[in-house]
Amino acid sequence: MTLIANKTVAVVDYGMGNLFSVSQAVMHAAATSGYKVVVTSKPEDVFAAERVVLPGQGAMRDCMRELHDSGLKEAVLDAARNKPLMGVCVGMQMLLDHSEEQDTPGLGLIPGKVKRFVLEGRLQADGSRFKVPQMGWNQVQQQSPGGQRHPVWGEVPDNSYFYFVHSFYVEPSDARHSAGLADYGNVFSAAIARDNIFATQFHPEKSADHGLALYRNFLHWAP
């Protein structure tokens, strides 16, 4: 697919994302695509961009506060209405209605809640204890709500491994919004999607070739 030169992907900088790793991965994925990748804290850049990546790490309450205080919240909400938007890690959790983490309201873009892993005293198959946060590689089973596999998965094989670091997980109200499942003590949504929104709990930028493929597929996605 040929893209028009000089289109822009905005990586939203509201002070709470792993910006260097995310931006470097998106830039790598965008090579030869005709896209310019900008890391920006300016709402006007996010409004003007054709595509938007919303990263996030740390506590969700802090992320929501900084998104609001930075003046970027309305630009992100506009992106969610009008252009392809990809959320990553806490950037995914922020898309839902509410988080158990410090009783924090989210953006309400995908109905559902964010819950904490409750795994104290439970053992994994190898006899070791579950640790919270989950930190490391885990398989993701791609979901096909309505019988159609999400285009952002592209050529990524089902049950591929991706890198996770999280203590909380999302639980969409509607199973049709779950685009990928993983199992860590219980089955949870590792990827969610609705209309022009796609988001992952795992870190594509830390997930080697399969993660780069997701960013590349996001750039070509035409929702």
Side-chain angles (χ1 to χ4, degrees), residues 46-65:
V46 179
F47 278 114
E50 187 190 66
R51 294 167 191 268
V52 174
V53 176
L54 178 67
Q57 67 179 24
M60 181 163 156
R61 175 179 286 183
D62 295 338
C63 289
M64 289 298 301
R65 182 189 65 245

Side-chain angles (χ1 to χ4, degrees), residues 51-87:
R51 294 167 191 268
V52 174
V53 176
L54 178 67
Q57 67 179 24
M60 181 163 156
R61 175 179 286 183
D62 295 338
C63 289
M64 289 298 301
R65 182 189 65 245
E66 294 301 319
L67 185 67
H68 178 272
D69 291 351
S70 67
L72 287 158
K73 181 178 177 180
E74 288 306 316
V76 169
L77 291 173
D78 177 78
R81 291 189 293 266
N82 297 302
K83 63 192 70 173
L85 170 69
M86 184 168 179

